[in-house]
Amino acid sequence: MAYAVTQSCCNDATCVSVCPVNCIHPTPQEREAGAVEMVFIDPDTCIDCGACADACPTGAIVPVDLLRGPDTVFADLNREYYEAHPESATWDARTFPTTVPQGFGALRVAVVGTGPSAAYAARALLTTSPAHVTMIDRLPVAGGLLRSGVAPDHPDTKRIEDAFAWTYDHLRVSVQLNVEVGTDVTHAELLEHHDAVVYAVGAAEDKVLGIPGEGLAGSVSATALVAWYNAQPDRAHGDVDLSSERVVVIGNGNVALDVARVLLTEPDVLARTDIADHALDVLRRSAVREVVVLGRRGPEDASYSRSELVGMRTIPGVDLVVEDHPRTVEAVEAAPVGSKAAMLRDLPRVRLDDSEAPAAGKRVVLAFWSAPVALEGEGAVTGVRTAERVLATGLVVRSIGYRGTPVPGLPFDETTSTVPNERGRVLDAEGRPIPGTYVVGWIKRGSRGGIGANRACAQETVEALVEDASAGLLPAPSGTAGDFAALLRWRRKDVVGLRRMRAIDRAERLAGASQGRPRRKLATVPELLAVAVPGRWRR
């Protein structure tokens, strides 16, 4: 009996590092040639030791003989990966992490952000150096995209947050939330009190289509919609108009499928998740019966992952179908076994009606070769125009990716929407490293790669930081940790430390438990601060 990686794979490669026979690939080193959506276990090499299952932070690794229903496809996907990549079933060179010299002394690092990339960076610092870490976030809650980006019906993915929980309790970690760098404290002030600063601020804005009608009412970004149903506390949460029977989602990545799934899943099912109360109320009154997911290229180039596609096929009462386009049919029929395009081979094929009323029942339509050229309507969206037709709709969700925004005090590349860097070291206009300044995550590499990709990214940045510390290249701080805490208390009276952060978490979990939910999210900063019972300041 072998193990298989299933739908909730976080791709952080923790399992790779514990496998005694090196049968889990691609490794972080092998991923450098391109993006990878998940890892796979070689069924011929696996010795059934279970080490990977024990290490998996999301519970995604399961014995093959325990797979049931639609999950049985993952046994095939794991096997097919090694049939297509026989070179992966070999040993690779393992390297040891870089560490500072013994007796190095104090090393204080500020990590700006508390999402996955920040948490991985903090963990790498704590396990490979004597660093004391200050975790800073502009929101009064931690988690970043784990809290506000992961779809509410993906509880397994959210479980990785539990793996990060020990970080905040670590004796060498200080938590300072509800603090905005650039407003409450500057980059220069961070460096006055720390040896180094690591920015893990993500990519907060959505990319634009650049087509006529994009700004019409009824045209919303996936960024805004995801924040709406996830109760992101720094955004206004007005009602989303779900009176149209058809919604068109532009883009075919994982977020696009998340949006489609949330819009069509029965509200009673979503009511058992941590979805925002205001979103659940609107979804209960929703008229949406069809979500058309538009991709500008063919099925072989779809951005969604195999596991997300499998999940779309298992929504009760919702059909997953493919538009009967000649180029799509040709690509699907010619697709190699195990590819994303081949996974569409057994799906029903339909012809899309251009009228506003879709077919009976609920369905998600994957429509390829459908690049939008304009959004139609006078004052509000009435349709999406492509080269071939106009699809009638009252709601368009733009899901074509995220882009980073400038970080106060740092250089910024408008072309790539990232902070210029080399292995995480921030570079000035002349291409020279700025002492003590680093980036990690999407602000470092652009908005590509899922949660797990941040692990290798963070390890690279921390390795560069530790190298610089060992070489004496970090600027010496003039202030102490106590000075920094006092500065924040003087600037803001509502800084949220560990005790107040835990009070918020406890309040949300207790409110959710009374309704059979994992938590009931508070949707605004004032609501969150109101339940943050003040305690004594911690470190």
Side-chain angles (χ1 to χ4, degrees):
M1 178 185 71
Y3 282 75
V5 183
T6 63
Q7 182 176 346
S8 54
C9 175
C10 70
N11 191 25
D12 83 347
T14 298
C15 54
V16 174
S17 63
V18 301
C19 177
V21 294
N22 194 36
C23 73
I24 307 176
H25 295 266
T27 67
Q29 293 78 17
E30 294 166 343
R31 301 175 197 191
E32 294 176 0
V36 177
E37 64 194 37
M38 64 185 295
V39 295
F40 303 90
I41 297 175
D42 182 2
D44 294 330
T45 309
C46 177
I47 61 173
D48 190 27
C49 69
C52 56
D54 292 338
C56 179
T58 63
I61 301 179
V62 180
V64 168
D65 62 352
L66 295 184
L67 294 174
R68 296 290 185 271
D71 283 348
T72 56
V73 70
F74 289 106
D76 298 329
L77 291 177
N78 280 255
R79 185 188 68 255
E80 290 164 356
Y81 174 83
Y82 288 93
E83 291 174 353
H85 302 85
E87 73 284 357
S88 288
T90 58
W91 285 92
D92 62 353
R94 302 298 177 97
T95 59
F96 294 94
T98 301
T99 60
V100 297
Q102 187 174 5
F104 176 84
L107 175 65
R108 297 203 304 275
V109 180
V111 176
V112 181
T114 57
S117 61
Y120 281 123
R123 289 177 61 175
L125 283 164
L126 295 169
T127 55
T128 64
S129 80
H132 289 254
V133 179
T134 305
M135 303 289 289
I136 302 170
D137 200 295
R138 61 189 175 83
L139 297 178
V141 286
L145 282 180
L146 275 176
R147 178 184 172 96
S148 61
V150 176
D153 61 341
H154 273 10
D156 288 341
T157 303
K158 290 175 181 285
R159 281 178 53 187
I160 198 171
E161 191 170 9
D162 296 332
F164 293 148
W166 71 266
T167 305
Y168 303 107
D169 289 320
H170 198 286
L171 291 175
R172 288 189 276 123
V173 172
S174 173
V175 176
Q176 307 286 359
L177 308 182
N178 204 33
V179 174
E180 186 165 7
V181 175
T183 301
D184 301 316
V185 64
T186 66
H187 171 66
E189 288 172 329
L190 289 177
L191 277 180
E192 286 175 10
H193 298 87
H194 299 85
D195 297 278
V197 183
V198 178
Y199 287 89
V201 296
E205 293 190 358
D206 58 291
K207 295 178 180 178
V208 296
L209 291 165
I211 61 175
E214 188 170 4
L216 289 170
S219 168
V220 302
S221 69
T223 307
L225 192 69
V226 170
W228 172 73
Y229 63 62
N230 271 330
Q232 187 171 327
D234 61 338
R235 287 179 176 263
H237 297 299
D239 282 350
V240 175
D241 185 357
L242 299 182
S243 60
S244 174
E245 291 189 310
R246 171 186 287 151
V247 173
V248 175
V249 179
I250 298 173
N252 61 7
N254 285 344
V255 174
L257 296 193
D258 283 347
V259 167
R261 198 176 57 253
V262 170
L263 289 178
L264 292 176
T265 297
E266 282 298 318
D268 286 345
V269 174
L270 292 174
R272 298 193 291 270
T273 73
D274 65 357
I275 191 169
D277 288 350
H278 56 253
L280 186 60
D281 290 342
V282 174
L283 288 166
R284 289 193 185 280
R285 305 189 301 271
S286 171
V288 179
R289 294 191 294 109
E290 177 182 85
V291 178
V292 180
V293 179
L294 296 184
R296 61 186 176 90
R297 295 182 293 178
E300 66 275 20
D301 296 313
S303 298
Y304 53 71
S305 65
R306 291 170 176 81
S307 57
E308 286 293 329
L309 183 61
V310 171
M312 293 298 296
R313 303 176 65 148
T314 61
I315 309 172
V318 179
D319 295 324
L320 179 65
V321 301
V322 180
E323 184 183 19
D324 192 13
H325 189 289
R327 295 177 71 183
T328 299
V329 173
E330 180 181 0
V332 168
E333 293 302 325
V337 174
S339 66
K340 284 185 280 191
M343 293 177 67
L344 306 178
R345 198 166 289 155
D346 63 339
L347 292 182
R349 296 170 185 167
V350 302
R351 292 193 177 276
L352 268 177
D353 187 346
D354 294 348
S355 68
E356 187 172 0
K362 289 184 176 182
R363 69 182 188 181
V364 176
V365 184
L366 301 179
F368 300 97
W369 313 108
S370 298
V373 297
L375 302 187
E376 303 281 311
E378 294 292 333
V381 170
T382 58
V384 178
R385 179 178 294 279
T386 69
E388 299 178 341
R389 61 189 169 200
V390 175
L391 276 175
T393 182
L395 178 62
V396 174
V397 181
R398 310 182 308 273
S399 183
I400 58 171
Y402 298 90
R403 63 186 183 90
T405 56
V407 178
L410 301 189
F412 189 73
D413 187 333
E414 294 287 352
T415 302
T416 62
S417 298
T418 62
V419 171
N421 72 93
E422 176 65 32
R423 292 181 57 221
R425 296 181 177 95
V426 175
L427 306 177
D428 64 16
E430 283 71 44
R432 297 171 302 194
I434 299 176
T437 309
Y438 304 85
V439 286
V440 68
W442 281 1
I443 197 64
K444 169 187 173 182
R445 66 183 191 274
S447 57
R448 63 181 186 274
I451 291 172
N454 291 299
R455 184 168 181 252
C457 177
Q459 287 174 331
E460 179 185 63
T461 294
V462 169
E463 183 175 311
L465 189 159
V466 171
E467 287 174 358
D468 293 346
S470 300
L473 299 177
L474 300 183
S478 57
T480 66
D483 293 336
F484 184 66
L487 173 66
L488 294 184
R489 290 199 298 271
W490 180 68
R491 294 277 174 82
R492 293 201 67 128
K493 304 303 181 186
D494 53 1
V495 175
V496 173
L498 181 64
R499 291 178 180 274
R500 301 184 78 197
M501 183 186 85
R502 294 297 189 212
I504 292 172
D505 180 67
R506 183 170 57 252
E508 288 189 333
R509 290 182 185 273
L510 287 174
S514 66
Q515 299 178 354
R517 304 167 65 181
R519 73 169 64 239
R520 187 181 178 192
K521 286 181 177 176
L522 297 169
T524 68
V525 170
E527 288 177 294
L528 290 165
L529 293 178
V531 301
V533 179
R536 63 181 177 85
W537 293 95
R538 178 181 186 267
R539 295 194 295 280

